[in-house]
Structures are given as structure tokens and as C-alpha cells.
Amino acid sequence: MKLTVAGIHFSYNSHPVLSEVGFSLDCGQVMCVLGVNGAGKSTLLKCLNRILEPQRGSVRLGADDLLSMSQNDIAQRVGYVPQRHPETRLSVFESVLLGRKPHIRWTVTKDDYALVEAVIRQIGLEHLAMRPVDDLSGGEVQKVIIARALAQAPKILLLDEPTSNLDLRNQIDVMALIRRIVQTRALSAVVAIHDLNIAVRFGDKFLFLKDHRIHSVADREELTAETIGQVYGVEVTLREVGGQTVVVPL
């Protein structure tokens, strides 16, 4: 299901944060949102699922106008993984089950339990299902939060800095998981991320924000060192190492 964003404008107290932001994303793609601190990456994600209300613009998922929907209806279509997660003594299973909340009318059903069990298996969390979430490592917690978003049965995932505060192995594991989910479940994902090399390794499209606007949108084959240098103010080169493109500052 195609995501189409057009003319998004958002200001905090008349201070512009996003201006005329628009892009499209096809099913099965991972888009990485990039830019310096304060560029508006997190704000953009929150505008896409109406956590923040844009002053102008539209967000469509297929034929659905997300900005005209209730938060519950949006949550049935969009899974959101925030930067920060409150500590909880809920078990992994209970935490993932919370993702079914937008779909539950009266009580949890057998189908809800079965879906949660399937998600936990797909993410590889079976051995942790009864463990309290706040006893887990950072990488494990991030996978639980992604699993909870998947339990919503969304068409698109929005992930805000999913690799922050993780070690290198867990950064790669989490991003590989996101990519696998997008491909196996025929979803799309918008990922706000700082690490250029992790983004280049796992992204299909790259949206660069600068000065409150889109500087450029590039497919993998269109990505250039010049674009990265213009956005970050640092001269870089792109090299091939072990079959992977890497960004090297000069």
C-alpha cells in the first residue's frame, strides 16, 4: 500500500520546523530520514501519524486520508516505534499484546492471542515471552517495541531512532529485522536515523531534511557524496568495503 505525503507544514509557536514536505513510498521499501540534529526528523514521523497535527498538508495510505482519521483508526494502519520507552514490569507477551488495543472491541480474543504468539515467534522472542521487559537488554527491548507495533497489524511502520543507544551488533540486528519484516509482511517503513552507514546499508530510499525542507530524496543508486556533504556540512566520499557502500568523512 503506497504512502503519499504532500505539502506537510508544521510549526512550534510560529517557529517553522517542516515546510512543504512531500514524498511517496512503495510497499516493501525502507526509507531512511536523514539530517542534522534539529532537522525535523522526529517531528516528521509524528506528523505522519497525527501525534502532531500539521498546519497544512496531506498523508495518504492508499486511498485512506490518515489526517482525517481518529487515533484509533490510524493505529490500525500505522505502527509507531518511539525513541524512548517507559520502563515496565509487564512481561514481553503482555507488552506485545498491548499492540492489539486498537482492534479490541470488548475483550481479547483467541485470534488476538494467536497473532501475538506469531509475532513473538517471527521476532525470535519466544524464550523471553514471560520475562519482564525492564529486565531485558537494550536490543531485546527494542525488538519487543517493534513486535508490539507489528501486533497492530499495520501497513506501515514509523521508527524513530530505532538504533540509538545500541551497540554495533544490536544496531545491525535491529535494522536487519526491520528490513526482513518489511519484505516478508509486504509493509513499508519510514526510519528516522542518525547513523549514515547503517542507513546506507539497510535503506532503499533516503530523504534528506535541511533548513526545515526536503533537500533531496534519493534511491540507493542515486545517493551521492555531494548530497551528504551539502546536508551535513562535511566532505565525504562513498567507498565499497566488503560489498557494502560506506560513508567516509574526508
Side-chain angles (χ1 to χ4, degrees), residues 4 23 29-30 43 56 59 98 107 115 117 140 147-148 158 164 168 176 199 201 214-216 220 228 249:
T4 307
F23 63 91
Q29 291 187 312
V30 175
T43 299
R56 294 196 303 273
V59 180
L98 285 176
T107 188
L115 189 149
E117 289 172 358
E140 291 166 341
R148 185 172 69 192
L158 307 177
S164 64
L168 181 59
R201 179 168 181 153
I214 289 182
H215 175 276
S216 58
R220 176 180 291 276
I228 295 171

Side-chain angles (χ1 to χ4, degrees), residues 3 44 47 72 76 80 125 140 161 202 210 224 226 234:
L3 176 67
L44 175 58
C47 285
N72 195 73
Q76 292 179 10
Y80 175 61
L125 295 171
E140 291 166 341
E161 297 291 347
F202 293 101
K210 184 180 180 182
T224 66
E226 288 75 19
V234 176

Side-chain angles (χ1 to χ4, degrees), residues 85-137:
H85 321 297
E87 292 186 4
T88 177
R89 291 301 293 176
L90 291 176
S91 71
V92 168
F93 189 93
E94 291 166 331
S95 295
V96 177
L97 183 61
L98 285 176
R100 296 302 300 155
K101 186 174 181 289
H103 299 274
I104 294 171
R105 292 184 178 273
W106 302 107
T107 188
V108 180
T109 67
K110 291 181 180 178
D111 287 343
D112 293 316
Y113 287 123
L115 189 149
V116 168
E117 289 172 358
V119 168
I120 286 175
R121 283 196 302 273
Q122 182 182 17
I123 305 301
L125 295 171
E126 305 100 307
H127 62 298
L128 300 173
M130 295 299 111
R131 289 268 302 276
V133 173
D134 58 5
D135 285 351
L136 305 183
S137 70

Side-chain angles (χ1 to χ4, degrees), residues 32-101:
C32 294
V33 181
L34 298 159
V36 299
N37 291 342
K41 300 185 294 295
S42 297
T43 299
L44 175 58
L45 264 59
K46 291 176 182 177
C47 285
L48 297 183
N49 64 354
R50 233 188 76 202
I51 291 175
L52 296 174
E53 192 86 41
Q55 283 83 30
R56 294 196 303 273
S58 65
V59 180
R60 292 189 174 275
L61 189 56
D64 296 335
D65 179 2
L66 295 183
L67 298 186
S68 69
M69 293 181 176
S70 68
Q71 284 295 343
N72 195 73
D73 286 342
I74 293 172
Q76 292 179 10
R77 295 161 174 81
V78 180
Y80 175 61
V81 177
Q83 274 192 47
R84 297 176 181 85
H85 321 297
E87 292 186 4
T88 177
R89 291 301 293 176
L90 291 176
S91 71
V92 168
F93 189 93
E94 291 166 331
S95 295
V96 177
L97 183 61
L98 285 176
R100 296 302 300 155
K101 186 174 181 289

